[in-house]
């Protein structure tokens, strides 16, 4: 978890800032108390992303079945110059930046257009931020990088102020992890941080054949299963718990009513788990589940509504040829 030192001099040229929460967010103890001690058992997906989990997610994006990342990357490849030319940003501020691999398409377009800007990647995983910043500063020596460690669930009010034009970037369809009402509140919150001339670039996975969706979350190599099970190791470490990952199996299925993928851990046996830091024990029945992630999928209509209800104007809707993924560019 991010340490408390405000300015972490990682190395000579990358300094991370810690974003002060604008509102209290439950920590892992509170989330576990609220989500694991009662049924149905749930856990927020942010706990997937310790260093190992972040690496596993990068591997998911390389699996044959998980099309969202490469489809979004192709869309960025195709439209990055238009996006940079029309938004003309002085800063690209990315929420949940992870490896920043796809964002490089925007920096490549900046090079093509001779457009300089700076980059503020924001992520909960400090290791990933530092690693990505190293990689970027090696590749784009003109790019000033100001990494921000923080959890956007804690609000964006304390984002460092910036006088120039900003392009807010939220990729990967991570917007799908929010319940619809929370997704709307989050876009509204970004809109509140935007000033006239600022833009928002939003990546969103589309509703499609459930077989294709389910395959993307049940890859044959079992990387998604490992990613899902890894959260039990995070709980063991952070909660002094004694989950045995081998006693659980991964399950991801599409819920057509909610147009979302639901990922769960299924208890293979009746078992007891001790949660040391909660001074509590839970008894799981055989077949009982823990919901670890929802990943909502969107339609052109639901994306239009998300943008319009936030007060933003949809400027461009870039769609993949197979309508598998959408990139939305919106302005204030
Ligand atoms: C990073 C949240 C966009 O929901 O598709 C990938 C995470 N979970 N495989 C998604 C994820 C399982 C991913 N997001």
């Amino acid at each position: 978890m991010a340490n408390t030192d405000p300015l972490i001099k990682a190395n000579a040229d990358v300094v991370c800032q810690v974003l002060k929460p604008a509102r209290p967010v439950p920590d892992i103890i509170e989330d576990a108390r609220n989500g694991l001690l009662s049924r149905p058992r749930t856990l927020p997906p942010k706990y997937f992303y310790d260093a190992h989990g972040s690496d596993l997610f990068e591997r998911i994006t390389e699996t044959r079945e998980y099309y969202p990342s490469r489809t979004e990357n192709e869309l960025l490849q195709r439209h990055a110059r238009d996006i940079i030319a029309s938004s003309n940003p002085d800063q690209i501020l990315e929420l949940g930046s992870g490896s920043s691999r796809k964002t490089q398409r925007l920096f490549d377009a900046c090079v093509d257009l001779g457009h300089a800007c700076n980059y503020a990647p924001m992520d909960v995983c400090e290791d990933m931020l530092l690693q990505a910043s190293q990689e970027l500063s090696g590749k784009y020596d003109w790019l000033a990088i100001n990494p921000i460690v923080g959890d956007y669930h804690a609000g964006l009010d304390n984002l460092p102020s910036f006088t120039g034009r900003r392009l807010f970037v939220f990729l990967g369809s991570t917007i799908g992890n929010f319940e619809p009402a929370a997704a709307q509140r989050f876009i509204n919150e970004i809109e509140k941080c935007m000033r006239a001339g600022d833009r928002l670039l939003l990546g969103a996975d589309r509703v499609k054949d459930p077989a294709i969706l389910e395959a993307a979350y049940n890859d044959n190599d079992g990387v998604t299963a490992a990613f899902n099970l890894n959260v039990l190791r995070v709980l063991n470490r952070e909660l002094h718990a004694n989950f045995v990952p081998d006693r659980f199996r991964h399950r991801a299925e599409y819920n057509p009513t909610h147009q979302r993928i639901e990922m769960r851990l299924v208890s293979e046996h009746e078992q007891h788990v001790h949660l040391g830091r909660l001074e509590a024990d839970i008894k799981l029945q055989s077949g009982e589940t823990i919901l670890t992630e929802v990943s909502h999928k969107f339609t052109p209509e639901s994306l239009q509504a998300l943008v319009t209800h936030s007060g933003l104007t949809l400027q461009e809707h870039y769609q993949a040829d197979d309508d598998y993924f959408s990139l939305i560019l919106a302005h204030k």
Side-chain angles (χ1 to χ4, degrees), residues 66-267:
Y66 191 78
Y67 61 83
S69 299
R70 62 178 168 272
T71 311
E72 183 176 46
N73 195 55
E74 283 152 19
L75 272 176
L76 281 167
Q77 184 90 40
R78 198 180 306 165
H79 301 290
R81 290 164 68 112
D82 295 353
I83 293 166
I84 294 296
S86 65
S87 52
N88 193 18
D90 301 306
Q91 180 180 75
I92 293 175
L93 189 147
E94 182 172 8
L95 304 167
S97 54
S99 69
S100 301
R101 288 252 161 76
K102 286 173 286 185
T103 328
Q104 294 186 20
R105 303 292 80 72
L106 296 176
F107 304 135
D108 294 340
C110 288
V111 172
D112 297 350
L113 297 167
H115 175 89
C117 64
N118 74 59
Y119 177 49
M122 176 177 158
D123 202 277
V124 285
C125 183
E126 182 192 345
D127 294 350
M128 189 48 106
L129 264 181
L130 295 171
Q131 197 184 315
S133 300
Q134 289 297 316
E135 202 179 306
L136 289 172
S137 47
K139 200 167 174 189
Y140 307 97
D141 55 9
W142 51 273
L143 185 65
I145 306 170
N146 313 306
I148 303 168
V149 183
D151 179 351
Y152 50 66
H153 295 93
L156 303 175
D157 308 37
N158 299 322
L159 275 177
S161 61
F162 186 74
T163 51
R165 216 185 345 267
R166 263 180 171 158
L167 172 61
F168 289 79
V169 173
F170 193 40
L171 297 177
S173 197
T174 303
I175 188 72
N177 279 158
F178 291 92
E179 294 293 341
Q184 188 64 65
R185 283 196 299 275
F186 187 60
I187 300 297
N188 296 356
E189 191 162 12
I190 295 174
E191 187 272 340
K192 290 219 169 15
C193 297
M194 293 169 70
R195 300 168 336 137
D198 286 355
R199 299 290 193 283
L200 166 64
L201 183 66
L202 177 70
D205 195 12
R206 298 277 295 274
V207 171
K208 58 182 68 64
D209 175 353
I212 293 168
L213 286 168
E214 289 190 350
Y217 293 82
N218 294 286
D219 61 280
N220 283 337
D221 299 342
V223 186
T224 309
F227 173 75
N228 195 7
L229 288 160
N230 177 61
V231 80
L232 297 175
R233 292 189 188 82
V234 174
L235 295 177
N236 286 349
R237 193 173 56 239
E238 303 296 331
L239 299 178
H240 306 164
N242 59 353
F243 284 97
V244 180
D246 291 351
R247 294 187 185 153
F248 293 82
R249 73 174 183 279
H250 162 75
R251 190 166 78 195
E253 53 209 345
Y254 183 63
N255 178 330
T257 313
H258 295 284
Q259 295 186 322
R260 68 187 191 186
I261 285 283
E262 296 173 349
M263 228 163 63
R264 292 181 170 84
L265 291 169
V266 184
S267 176

Side-chain angles (χ1 to χ4, degrees), residues 3 38 41 59 109 134 200 244 271 280 293 312 321:
N3 59 32
S38 55
R41 303 189 200 267
R59 285 182 47 207
Q134 289 297 316
L200 166 64
V244 180
Q271 57 184 309
E293 184 175 47
L312 292 172
D321 297 344

